[in-house]
Amino acid sequence: MTLAMFASFIVHVLLGLPLFIALLVTAVVGFMFIDPSMLGRIVPQQFFGGINVFSLMAIPLFILAGNLMNSAGLTQQLMTLARVLVGHLRGGLGYVNVVSSVFFAGVNGSAVADTSALGSLLVPAMKKEGYSPSYAAGLTAGSSLIGPIIPPSIFMILYASLTNTSVGDLFLAGVVPGLLLGLVFMVMNWLYARKAQLPVSGQRPTMGLFLQALWGAMPALLAPFIIVGGIVFGVVTPTESGALTVAYVAVIGLCNKQLSWQRLWSALVETARLTSAVFLIMAASAVVSWLLSYAQVPKAFITLFDPIIEQPILVLLLLSLITFVTGMFMEEVSALMLLTPIFMPVAMAAGVDPVHLGIIITLNITIALITPPMGACVFVAAAVSRLEITELFKTIWPFVAIALLVLILLILFPGLVLWLPGLFGGQA
């Protein structure tokens, strides 16, 4: 049954069907093996039930907050601050790219949005300063991986809804890995800047210029504290936090007169488009997940790990390998929805903390965004840099390797993930 479902899914994806339809057809194939009479009852029930979760309302709200931030000009203020902080260094625009991704991650939580928003501005500027087009595009796509790791994160919200894990703990756990990812990309840029003999971009900024940039970016910098702080200290739920952030960004945009009614409407339309795509995939994935659970696939999967179940690090490495390969060929939301219910029992049997597992799966799924042949961020980066996608696919692998290095460090040293949640004593 499982092989037939997998073959059905691959065939329909290759035929070009929308992903949620391919998933539903895959479910139909599975029901033909189990009990066709269940089809009419279970599919509508699970399709609706998969998205009938209150905490998932946070997803469109965080997407809307990011869109409003772009429309209100706050993203530009973050980039200005990043340029003041690191733009004067050798290879400064590369550092600006990474630091801007760190700032932008604190509001949007989407790697694709990060690549699109920052890449369209920074890639042309980097090319003018002597960066190779493939490196500029690769760094933009690579640093965008920070977006879903530093809170808020759409992937973490999905994982939390599937495993009943604290969203606040997951958000806290993502801070150190996200900063670590930014650090290794900055080291990579440091090496590239010296090898390519890039010029020093400008003079060291004065304190007055720094304070001016900091003041301009302060409204945007406060947004992550509203999001994470409110959840961690129990003031608001994740959904309420998303609504509060939307209201906050909208008020800022109206006050600085950057957010017109036309831009507000455009942000709402774009949010509806992205949300509907995500939720359709989630709903269809929920049907397939229920079917796999009914067929006891997770239980059978656990037995495969019996020889190494006492070695949690080895278990995580194998689960990561499976996720990495799956993510290369499957859309990220559906991969997360399908793999998490199967992986969770294995990880629990091996004694892996569910928060640790959540960060490992999230980073794995995120790396898939820059991995050929399905990496969405690579396609966006190629478009904004006007590169052939095949050329960028050939040069993206060092950035994939850097991200995988961080992933391995997080597996080997769980304290990097669990330190902040432990510091707050489970308040999240």
Side-chain angles (χ1 to χ4, degrees), residues 86 89-100 186 189-190 194:
V86 294
L89 303 173
R90 184 183 300 277
L93 279 181
Y95 296 124
V96 170
N97 199 324
V98 178
V99 174
S100 296
M186 291 180 77
N189 185 71
W190 180 82
R194 273 145 187 78

Side-chain angles (χ1 to χ4, degrees), residues 1-12 17 21-39 43 284 287-288 291-292 295:
M1 182 200 79
T2 305
L3 290 177
M5 291 175 64
F6 179 75
S8 172
F9 178 77
I10 296 298
V11 168
H12 288 94
L17 267 69
I21 294 180
L23 287 166
L24 288 176
V25 173
T26 299
V28 171
V29 171
F31 278 110
M32 293 300 104
F33 280 89
I34 295 178
D35 185 356
S37 66
M38 299 171 64
L39 187 63
V43 172
V287 179
V288 178
L291 190 59
L292 294 175

Side-chain angles (χ1 to χ4, degrees), residues 13-149:
V13 168
L14 292 177
L15 289 175
L17 267 69
L19 188 58
F20 80 96
I21 294 180
L23 287 166
L24 288 176
V25 173
T26 299
V28 171
V29 171
F31 278 110
M32 293 300 104
F33 280 89
I34 295 178
D35 185 356
S37 66
M38 299 171 64
L39 187 63
R41 182 178 80 257
I42 299 298
V43 172
Q45 182 185 76
Q46 294 301 318
F47 189 86
F48 177 73
I51 56 177
N52 187 28
V53 181
F54 178 73
S55 60
L56 295 181
M57 279 299 299
I59 293 176
L61 291 171
F62 285 131
I63 293 175
L64 179 57
N67 288 333
L68 289 177
M69 176 162 281
N70 290 334
S71 301
L74 298 182
T75 302
Q76 187 63 48
Q77 297 290 350
L78 291 175
M79 290 182 61
T80 300
L81 177 60
R83 189 182 291 269
V84 169
L85 288 172
V86 294
H88 61 284
L89 303 173
R90 184 183 300 277
L93 279 181
Y95 296 124
V96 170
N97 199 324
V98 178
V99 174
S100 296
S101 292
V102 173
F103 288 157
F104 195 66
V107 177
N108 188 277
S110 169
V112 176
D114 188 322
T115 306
S116 178
L118 301 181
S120 59
L121 298 174
L122 287 173
V123 170
M126 291 174 71
K127 288 161 64 175
K128 287 182 181 178
E129 290 205 1
Y131 291 84
S132 71
S134 59
Y135 176 82
L139 184 63
T140 301
S143 62
S144 71
L145 300 185
I146 302 169
I149 306 302

Side-chain angles (χ1 to χ4, degrees), residues 275-286:
T275 302
S276 60
V278 170
F279 272 53
L280 279 173
I281 295 171
M282 287 167 50
S285 298

Side-chain angles (χ1 to χ4, degrees), residues 82-341:
R83 189 182 291 269
V84 169
L85 288 172
V86 294
H88 61 284
L89 303 173
R90 184 183 300 277
L93 279 181
Y95 296 124
V96 170
N97 199 324
V98 178
V99 174
S100 296
S101 292
V102 173
F103 288 157
F104 195 66
V107 177
N108 188 277
S110 169
V112 176
D114 188 322
T115 306
S116 178
L118 301 181
S120 59
L121 298 174
L122 287 173
V123 170
M126 291 174 71
K127 288 161 64 175
K128 287 182 181 178
E129 290 205 1
Y131 291 84
S132 71
S134 59
Y135 176 82
L139 184 63
T140 301
S143 62
S144 71
L145 300 185
I146 302 169
I149 306 302
I150 291 180
S153 167
I154 294 171
F155 291 159
M156 289 183 191
I157 295 172
L158 289 176
Y159 174 86
S161 70
L162 291 169
T163 61
N164 200 29
T165 306
S166 166
V167 174
D169 281 344
L170 287 168
F171 279 6
L172 284 174
V175 173
V176 173
L179 295 177
L180 180 60
L181 199 59
L183 178 62
V184 296
F185 279 121
M186 291 180 77
V187 171
M188 185 179 188
N189 185 71
W190 180 82
L191 295 172
Y192 176 88
R194 273 145 187 78
K195 181 179 178 180
Q197 289 297 302
L198 294 176
V200 177
S201 300
Q203 297 293 325
R204 185 180 296 274
T206 63
M207 180 57 70
L209 187 60
F210 166 72
L211 292 176
Q212 182 181 355
L214 181 62
W215 178 256
M218 190 59 69
L221 292 175
L222 287 176
F225 292 97
I226 295 174
I227 296 170
V228 179
I231 296 173
V232 167
F233 293 106
V235 179
V236 291
T237 66
T239 302
E240 292 166 345
S241 174
L244 184 62
T245 306
V246 168
Y248 169 77
V249 175
V251 169
I252 295 297
L254 292 173
C255 290
N256 65 17
K257 299 182 180 179
Q258 293 292 314
L259 185 62
S260 64
W261 291 110
Q262 182 178 0
R263 288 184 174 182
L264 176 61
W265 176 251
S266 297
L268 289 169
V269 171
E270 178 64 13
T271 300
R273 186 183 69 82
L274 291 174
T275 302
S276 60
V278 170
F279 272 53
L280 279 173
I281 295 171
M282 287 167 50
S285 298
V287 179
V288 178
S289 295
W290 182 92
L291 190 59
L292 294 175
S293 178
Y294 183 82
Q296 297 188 342
V297 171
K299 185 177 180 180
F301 191 71
I302 292 177
T303 61
L304 298 177
F305 283 78
D306 282 345
I308 60 169
I309 203 67
E310 300 296 331
Q311 303 178 56
I313 290 178
L314 189 54
V315 168
L316 279 178
L317 287 172
L318 287 177
L319 293 180
S320 295
L321 177 61
I322 296 170
T323 308
F324 178 75
V325 174
T326 303
M328 291 178 66
F329 302 99
M330 185 180 290
E331 194 276 336
E332 290 70 32
V333 172
S334 58
L336 178 67
M337 296 287 292
L338 293 175
L339 294 179
T340 298

